[in-house]
């Protein structure tokens, strides 16, 4: 289920920079017709869809997943956030792969128990997306398309991305398309490009560049993203992620 995991991690931002190449080490155990697996990683930044979630702080993350042989899966992913915050995401979905073609559909709920003041951010089920991932891969290369729709909580948005990987390199071009409620000062079109090199199964390096459409009148390069306490600018970000084996 390598392809499912890679797309799911990219959709959740679990690979820290949104890389298709999974940056975590996975240890799987057979259980009730499926597998239970765990991941862990540390990174100098927590970057999700081009946005620095931790105000420049480092992050420690990990997940626990159950994948059934039918293609059904469920899990939880958690991370620290700079400034003493935390995140815990719940997801359930279904993935299938036939001759290199893969389809993955899941519902993901984002929770921020501490250090975050977004709408419904500490209410399980209150801030959720439906995420569809399509892909094709061979032993050397892969391409993917991903679409995420905010179906609960937040201010309303969609996210879509194209990804490609060849050997140890991967690229993701994604667009955050936000609705713009009256009176708000953030732009509704934020694009990011992430280029990742996986040195080995444990260590990866990512360069992330975000472009914010400056149709609105602001006094600096910082733009406030919903739900209200995350900023994004056009600085180039450099992310180093190291995975920790879990036996």
């Amino acid at each position: 289920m390598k392809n499912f995991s890679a797309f799911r991690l990219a959709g959740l931002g679990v690979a820290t920079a949104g890389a298709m190449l999974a940056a975590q080490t996975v240890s799987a155990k057979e259980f009730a017709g499926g597998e239970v697996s765990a991941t862990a990683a540390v990174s100098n930044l927590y970057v999700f869809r081009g946005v620095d979630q931790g105000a420049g702080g480092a992050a420690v993350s990990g997940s626990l997943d159950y994948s059934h042989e039918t293609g059904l899966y469920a899990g939880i992913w958690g991370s620290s956030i700079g400034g003493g915050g935390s995140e815990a995401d719940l997801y359930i979905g279904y993935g299938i792969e036939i001759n290199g073609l893969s389809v993955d559909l899941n519902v993901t709920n984002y929770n921020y128990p501490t250090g975050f003041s977004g709408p419904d951010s500490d209410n399980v089920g209150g801030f959720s997306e439906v995420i569809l991932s399509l892909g094709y891969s061979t032993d050397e290369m892969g391409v993917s398309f991903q679409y995420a729709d905010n179906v609960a909580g937040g201010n309303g948005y969609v996210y879509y991305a194209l990804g490609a990987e060849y050997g140890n390199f991967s690229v993701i071009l994604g667009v955050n398309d936000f609705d713009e409620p009256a009176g708000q000062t953030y732009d509704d079109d934020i694009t990011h490009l992430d280029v990742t090199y996986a040195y080995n199964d444990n260590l990866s390096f990512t360069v992330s560049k975000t472009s914010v459409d400056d149709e609105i009148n602001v006094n600096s390069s910082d733009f406030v993203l919903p739900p209200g306490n995350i900023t994004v600018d056009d600085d180039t970000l450099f992310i180093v992620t190291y995975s920790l084996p879990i036996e």
Side-chain angles (χ1 to χ4, degrees), residues 49 108 128-132 147-152 156-159:
R49 296 175 181 171
T108 298
S128 303
E129 293 179 349
V130 172
I131 303 173
L132 172 67
Y147 176 84
D149 192 351
N150 171 220
V151 294
Y157 62 87
V158 296
Y159 172 80

Side-chain angles (χ1 to χ4, degrees), residues 90-135:
L90 306 172
Y91 43 90
I92 185 170
Y94 177 78
I96 187 171
E97 179 185 7
I98 301 176
N99 296 327
L101 294 173
S102 59
V103 179
D104 186 295
L105 180 66
N106 74 64
V107 177
T108 298
N109 173 237
Y110 301 91
N111 297 278
Y112 302 87
T114 59
F116 199 79
S117 60
D120 299 314
S121 59
D122 58 354
N123 175 21
V124 174
F127 183 23
S128 303
E129 293 179 349
V130 172
I131 303 173
L132 172 67
S133 298
L134 308 174

Side-chain angles (χ1 to χ4, degrees), residues 61-96:
S61 63
S63 69
L64 182 64
D65 293 88
Y66 173 73
S67 300
H68 194 263
E69 59 187 9
T70 60
L72 293 171
Y73 64 85
I76 181 171
W77 178 84
S79 177
S80 62
I81 300 177
S86 62
E87 177 177 351
D89 302 336
L90 306 172
Y91 43 90
I92 185 170
Y94 177 78
I96 187 171

Side-chain angles (χ1 to χ4, degrees), residues 186-191 210-218 223:
Y186 59 82
D187 191 23
D188 63 351
D189 191 4
I190 300 171
T191 303
T210 298
S211 174
V212 182
D213 191 350
D214 57 358
E215 295 176 354
I216 58 176
N217 184 17
V218 295
F223 292 77

